[in-house]
Amino acid sequence: MSELLKSVWASLYAWAFPSAVAIAYYALLIYPEALSLHKYAPTEFEIDTKVAYLGLTAMIATCLAALRTPLYRILEGYLLWPRWLKAAGVKRHLRIKRAFDAAVRAGGSGWPFGLTLEDYARYPMRDDQIVPSKFGNAIRAFETYGKTRFNLDSQTLWHELYAVAPKYIQQKIEQAQSSVDFFVAGVFLSLFLAVATVVTGVLEDYDRTIFILAAPPLFVAFLSHWIAIRATDEWAYSVQALVNIGRVKLADSLGLSLPETLAEEREMWGLATKFVYFADADAGAGLNRFRRKSLAPADGEACAEDEPEAETPTED
């Protein structure tokens, strides 16, 4: 029951609270100035209005939670971005990553170098994994962690890894993901609120007072995006721990024996990924040498305890 309550609270915190704030901002500051809209809804908060407020908050939060993946893909640069903008974004972030490469190789000390390392860690190790946006690169950096270190595709084997992970790591991942969800919701709700405010200002004969009220939501949208990028750090550390610790238990759960060398382990996880994702028969055959030896006796052999005891002659 406690786990269910934690899950409900995470959803309320991540999606419902920003929705409630956005609706309250419009209802309290913008709607009273929108005289042309007053004939469609009351201007004072009554019991029915409060119920409608809660219902609208729940509806918006549910829609945002259901659309989580598309919302993330927009911020990552995969969805709704024109091809030329994607290409320009990838080129720009490749240039930034290579500048970080040079700075890290040059070395340094103190907190400025530490901040450089933090920024550098928000980019994937491989150049072919660079995506058009800074937020997308921060996500891609920990999505490819297992692949670049152990040749383990954590995206393909995510549910298996998560199932064998310690409870502490599972909770840390959920908490970190909820924090990022909160600021992602803040980005889209603030942008929508700014657009709604501008539209209301147009309907009110280009009321400058209403137009000015669109500035705070725009500021919150940019601030939420900036914080969302940095909030991925805790998520990245949690996924890193998931891969580092969980892969040992994952190998055992899949009936595999972890090899002695890292090179052999990378080969094993590469074969496992191909077999799971592509049902590759050759990869499955290659996995045979990594499978844990059965403890069952060979055919034709019997365990000592299974052999029938010789009857002891008794005296009449």
Side-chain angles (χ1 to χ4, degrees):
M1 186 65 179
S2 61
E3 296 300 323
L4 177 61
L5 290 176
K6 288 180 181 178
S7 177
V8 171
W9 168 247
S11 297
L12 288 173
Y13 161 75
W15 304 108
F17 182 72
S19 301
V21 172
I23 296 171
Y25 183 89
Y26 189 89
L28 296 176
L29 297 180
I30 301 169
Y31 183 75
E33 304 297 326
L35 301 179
S36 61
L37 300 179
H38 289 176
K39 58 184 177 181
Y40 300 107
T43 57
E44 296 181 357
F45 285 97
E46 301 173 354
I47 293 184
D48 291 343
T49 308
K50 293 176 182 177
V51 172
Y53 171 71
L54 293 175
L56 186 59
T57 299
M59 183 184 70
I60 293 176
T62 302
C63 290
L64 288 174
L67 294 172
R68 179 183 180 276
T69 298
L71 295 179
Y72 266 73
R73 287 187 173 274
I74 292 172
L75 291 183
E76 289 174 284
Y78 300 135
L79 188 63
L80 300 182
W81 285 48
R83 183 174 299 178
W84 65 269
L85 189 57
K86 288 182 181 179
V90 169
K91 189 175 181 179
R92 174 175 176 268
H93 285 288
L94 268 174
R95 185 170 62 252
I96 294 173
K97 178 183 178 292
R98 286 166 182 169
F100 280 132
D101 284 336
V104 170
R105 282 196 300 269
S109 60
W111 63 266
F113 186 66
L115 292 178
T116 300
L117 289 177
E118 285 185 4
D119 289 333
Y120 181 56
R122 297 190 190 108
Y123 281 91
M125 289 185 65
R126 289 169 43 180
D127 288 352
D128 62 349
Q129 294 293 333
I130 296 294
V131 297
S133 73
K134 193 169 185 178
F135 180 79
N137 282 305
I139 297 290
R140 199 66 187 146
F142 66 77
E143 285 181 343
T144 58
Y145 176 85
K147 187 68 176 178
T148 54
R149 273 68 170 187
F150 305 104
N151 201 27
L152 189 162
D153 189 345
S154 59
Q155 295 301 103
T156 299
L157 298 172
W158 175 259
H159 292 288
E160 290 85 349
L161 266 172
Y162 194 82
V164 300
K167 200 68 179 175
Y168 169 77
I169 294 180
Q170 293 180 353
Q171 292 174 349
K172 292 297 290 183
I173 290 175
E174 291 174 0
Q175 292 169 4
Q177 184 174 335
S178 293
S179 296
V180 179
D181 287 348
F182 177 88
F183 292 108
V184 168
V187 171
F188 286 98
L189 284 168
S190 298
L191 289 175
F192 180 79
L193 182 58
V195 172
T197 303
V198 170
V199 171
T200 303
V202 172
L203 293 175
E204 295 300 317
D205 297 325
Y206 297 91
D207 189 330
R208 292 183 181 180
T209 303
I210 297 178
F211 285 151
I212 292 173
L213 291 174
L218 284 175
F219 173 76
V220 171
F222 285 108
L223 181 62
S224 296
H225 183 261
W226 185 85
I227 298 177
I229 294 170
R230 283 143 188 84
T232 60
D233 290 350
E234 189 65 27
W235 195 357
Y237 297 144
S238 302
V239 172
Q240 177 178 319
L242 175 72
V243 173
N244 291 340
I245 297 174
R247 75 183 209 285
V248 180
K249 293 184 177 180
L250 177 61
D252 184 65
S253 298
L254 294 177
L256 303 173
S257 296
L258 209 62
E260 294 182 358
T261 66
L262 183 58
E264 289 180 313
E265 183 181 349
R266 288 177 59 84
E267 180 186 359
M268 182 190 76
W269 289 125
L271 292 170
T273 301
K274 288 182 180 178
F275 181 70
V276 170
Y277 195 85
F278 299 105
D280 190 305
D282 292 335
L287 274 176
N288 284 332
R289 67 189 182 91
F290 296 106
R291 297 186 68 182
R292 192 169 56 245
K293 300 296 185 293
S294 175
L295 298 179
D299 292 339
E301 297 181 1
C303 295
E305 63 267 24
D306 293 335
E307 294 179 358
E309 297 181 0
E311 295 183 4
T312 303
T314 57
E315 295 181 359
D316 294 333

